[in-house]
Amino acid sequence: MSRPALHAEDVSKSFGGTSVLDGVDLSVDAGETVVLLGPNGTGKSVLVSCLAGGTTPSSGNIEVLGDKPASRPGTTSFLLQDALCLDKLTGRENISFYSRLNPSFTDKWQELVDLFEIADQLDQPVEHYSGGMRRKIELAIALSIDAQLYILDEPTAALDLTMVREVHHQLSELRDAGKAVLVTTHLPMDADAADRVVFITGDGVVASGTPDSIKAEVPPVVEASLKNAPTITEGVIGGEVFRGDGVVRGIVRPDTDPNSLVSHLPEARVTEPTYSDLFNYYVHLKKVN
């Protein structure tokens, strides 16, 4: 078998005696998009910084294309939240800076700034950009580097739904071109872009697999009106329901028949799990089950 583009084994990181990462294993193959999902504060940004070579792990081993991270210039394009652009420079000046800095930089940014609808703002200082505009210019820069591995930390943060879909399309083009792509996010909908989904919590990696296999492991989900929330809590894992769009959803306990739980309730139903349900199950409920 060919060697993964990215391979991390038993990676841990501590700051001042406080553990941020503990024994994380992760790999990404060429032509694969892996989406790393987890709540804020679980060390995702620290992990990707270690993977890209910006931070040295306290222990463990990381290889990028068979070498140490950042040992071969031009092999990795790395996007860390709010850490790419220089605030005092305009968007265009930032693009020019990175085009001179990175020998693998291409003219793709010209297409991307149009797709991301920021072409008219390129001559404004980045410090005046909104959060969404800043994310778009950072993405335009990161995706204009012709690398073999892309490590993108929260690339869809602050973007509207239309732009999220466009970013997903760009990621699929990278995968189809044989690139390895790692995306970290806390937004469940970003799993739409994944060939493989990895869930991480403070306990490390708690689940990994294709979207279909990950979804198949989740117990049935019931949905009911807000007023019926107390009725269904007795049959869901941890007695916990999650609100959204005027309803509550709960993941059914293994010892409970989901149909009997909702059959007597008006406008209640058993339904397929969404990516939000997967997030709640693997991040919040699996260790309770």
Side-chain angles (χ1 to χ4, degrees):
M1 295 180 64
S2 61
R3 175 180 291 169
L6 170 67
H7 179 72
E9 184 176 4
D10 200 24
V11 174
S12 298
K13 180 64 179 178
S14 298
F15 294 98
T18 300
S19 177
V20 178
L21 297 171
D22 186 14
V24 173
D25 296 328
L26 185 67
S27 66
V28 185
D29 292 329
E32 180 183 38
T33 297
V34 173
V35 173
L36 183 66
L37 273 159
N40 289 327
T42 53
K44 298 191 302 296
S45 293
V46 173
L47 174 61
V48 296
S49 184
C50 291
L51 299 176
T55 300
T56 301
S58 302
S59 62
N61 181 60
I62 300 172
E63 291 185 356
V64 174
L65 303 171
D67 292 323
K68 293 182 179 180
S71 62
R72 293 167 57 187
T75 59
T76 303
S77 180
F78 176 42
L79 173 62
L80 185 64
Q81 287 191 76
D82 300 325
L84 186 61
C85 285
L86 304 173
D87 285 349
K88 298 300 181 181
L89 299 184
T90 66
R92 193 180 306 278
E93 289 168 340
N94 271 283
I95 292 170
S96 178
F97 171 77
Y98 282 102
S99 70
R100 297 193 303 271
L101 185 68
N102 196 309
S104 300
F105 200 87
T106 71
D107 289 334
K108 186 175 177 64
W109 67 268
Q110 298 178 23
E111 170 193 352
L112 291 172
V113 295
D114 284 330
L115 289 172
F116 295 158
E117 301 177 355
I118 56 170
D120 294 340
Q121 289 85 38
L122 289 183
D123 295 316
Q124 297 179 24
V126 170
E127 64 183 348
H128 296 154
Y129 281 15
S130 67
M133 287 172 57
R134 185 185 185 99
R135 182 86 313 191
K136 291 175 186 178
I137 192 67
E138 291 173 337
L139 277 165
I141 292 170
L143 298 180
S144 293
I145 297 171
D146 185 17
Q148 294 172 270
L149 169 66
Y150 293 80
I151 300 176
L152 308 174
D153 188 26
E154 303 278 1
T156 59
L159 299 185
D160 62 34
L161 182 58
T162 300
M163 286 297 110
V164 170
R165 294 300 186 193
E166 181 58 47
V167 171
H168 289 179
H169 173 71
Q170 295 299 323
L171 298 181
S172 70
E173 288 194 336
L174 292 175
R175 177 199 61 211
D176 293 345
K179 310 296 187 179
V181 182
L182 174 65
V183 173
T184 77
T185 183
H186 65 280
L187 300 177
M189 70 174 297
D190 281 334
D192 285 338
D195 297 304
R196 185 157 49 92
V197 180
V198 176
F199 284 91
I200 186 171
T201 69
D203 297 321
V205 173
V206 294
S208 175
T210 66
D212 286 343
S213 67
I214 287 287
K215 187 174 290 187
E217 293 182 20
V218 178
V221 175
V222 293
E223 180 181 283
S225 63
L226 288 171
K227 67 179 180 180
N228 287 320
T231 303
I232 69 169
T233 54
E234 61 190 34
V236 299
I237 296 174
E240 188 168 0
V241 294
F242 301 90
R243 298 189 181 198
D245 298 326
V247 298
V248 292
R249 295 171 68 88
I251 299 173
V252 181
R253 292 201 322 251
D255 61 354
T256 301
D257 175 13
N259 291 305
S260 66
L261 189 61
V262 299
S263 60
H264 61 292
L265 298 175
E267 301 178 3
R269 62 180 182 138
V270 180
T271 183
E272 291 293 315
T274 64
Y275 282 126
S276 292
D277 295 322
L278 267 65
F279 186 91
N280 289 331
Y281 176 70
Y282 286 110
V283 169
H284 301 297
L285 300 177
K286 187 177 180 183
K287 62 184 178 182
V288 178
N289 188 15

